[in-house]
Amino acid sequence: EADIYQTPRYLVIGTGKKITLECSQTMGHDKMYWYQQDPGMELHLIHYSYGVNSTEKGDLSSESTVSRIRTEHFPLTLESARPSHTSQYLCASSPKNLNEQFFGPGTRLTVL
Amino acid sequence: QQQVKQSPQSLIVQKGGISIINCAYENTAFDYFPWYQQFPGKGPALLIAIRPDVSEKKEGRFTISFNKSAKQFSLHIMDSQPGDSATYFCAASIQGGSEKLVFGKGTKLTVNP
């Protein structure tokens, strides 16, 4: 069982609100990722990080931002949420020299 | 340009049957091919993975078949059970370093009792 945590698990908010989705892992993994996924659909990589102070945009353009100040923590922020941001957000991590990714349980975001 | 093409999009199998999901890749540098299983409301979890130096890998009822010349790999689920009902994703990458996993679009498997 991978030790990667996401909070909150479910979030319903109004348009225009600023939100931060939390992701933490206790495995000491260097690499971390954020994916956006509509339920049961394909995974879209939106951000990734290969270590502290390293962040890159993924394949899918996203209005969200991320930070990596500590190895274990990789929060994702939406400055002004919109209904188009309604989706599931999955966080994952992997060790430095391997590509096996361990996924968190996800945050289901609904923007009204 | 999608580098990993997965089919079918959905699959319905009777209990006890064999489920087969196929993936094709384009980048011949890929050397790591995992399959992930995702249940509703959960994150994907690694099911089984293969390297191109073997043509088949089996773990319990799950088998990966790999055809390097055809650039294809497939997941076979023997004696499929209702508990196997989930979405399955194939993926590919170049092992190690900074390469990311490239995922297929997923296959929703339903195993009827």
Side-chain angles (χ1 to χ4, degrees), chain A residues 27-92:
Chain A
M27 298 171 284
H29 289 169
D30 288 306
K31 297 185 283 188
M32 297 189 74
Y33 311 83
W34 276 104
Y35 292 87
Q36 184 175 341
Q37 182 192 35
D38 290 328
M41 303 299 286
E42 64 183 299
L43 297 157
H44 295 286
L45 180 67
I46 53 175
H47 297 282
Y48 60 99
S49 167
Y50 289 148
V52 171
N53 295 325
S54 153
T55 61
E56 301 286 345
K57 290 189 178 295
D59 305 318
L60 181 69
S61 176
S62 174
E63 295 169 342
S64 59
T65 59
V66 292
S67 62
R68 189 89 183 275
I69 299 173
R70 302 197 317 265
T71 297
E72 63 271 20
H73 195 214
F74 191 41
L76 180 145
T77 298
L78 275 167
E79 290 292 334
S80 179
R82 296 206 303 266
S84 61
H85 296 138
T86 294
S87 190
Q88 175 166 253
Y89 293 83
L90 289 163
C91 181

Side-chain angles (χ1 to χ4, degrees), chain A residues 9-10 31 33 35 37 40-43 45 48 50 58-59 88 90 96-106, chain B residues 2 9 32 36 38 41-46 51 87 89 93-101 103-106 108:
Chain A
R9 291 294 315 278
Y10 304 92
K31 297 185 283 188
Y33 311 83
Y35 292 87
Q37 182 192 35
M41 303 299 286
E42 64 183 299
L43 297 157
L45 180 67
Y48 60 99
Y50 289 148
D59 305 318
Q88 175 166 253
L90 289 163
K96 185 175 183 178
N97 295 317
L98 294 174
N99 283 353
E100 177 183 348
Q101 292 187 13
F102 297 86
F103 283 83
Chain B
Q2 187 184 4
Q9 187 174 355
Y32 173 65
Y36 282 80
Q38 184 180 28
K42 305 285 188 182
L46 179 67
R51 303 288 180 92
T87 299
F89 294 93
S93 77
I94 301 170
Q95 189 61 281
S98 62
E99 295 299 325
K100 303 182 293 294
L101 279 176
F103 284 92
K105 291 190 175 184
K108 184 176 181 181

Side-chain angles (χ1 to χ4, degrees), chain B residues 59-112:
Chain B
E59 290 184 3
R61 295 183 295 108
F62 300 91
T63 300
I64 298 180
S65 297
F66 183 80
N67 186 330
K68 188 174 181 178
S69 61
K71 292 188 289 185
Q72 295 176 347
F73 58 110
S74 60
L75 176 69
H76 296 237
I77 306 175
M78 310 301 289
D79 187 25
S80 298
Q81 299 296 312
D84 297 330
S85 298
T87 299
Y88 292 81
F89 294 93
C90 64
S93 77
I94 301 170
Q95 189 61 281
S98 62
E99 295 299 325
K100 303 182 293 294
L101 279 176
V102 179
F103 284 92
K105 291 190 175 184
T107 296
K108 184 176 181 181
L109 172 65
T110 302
V111 181
N112 289 327

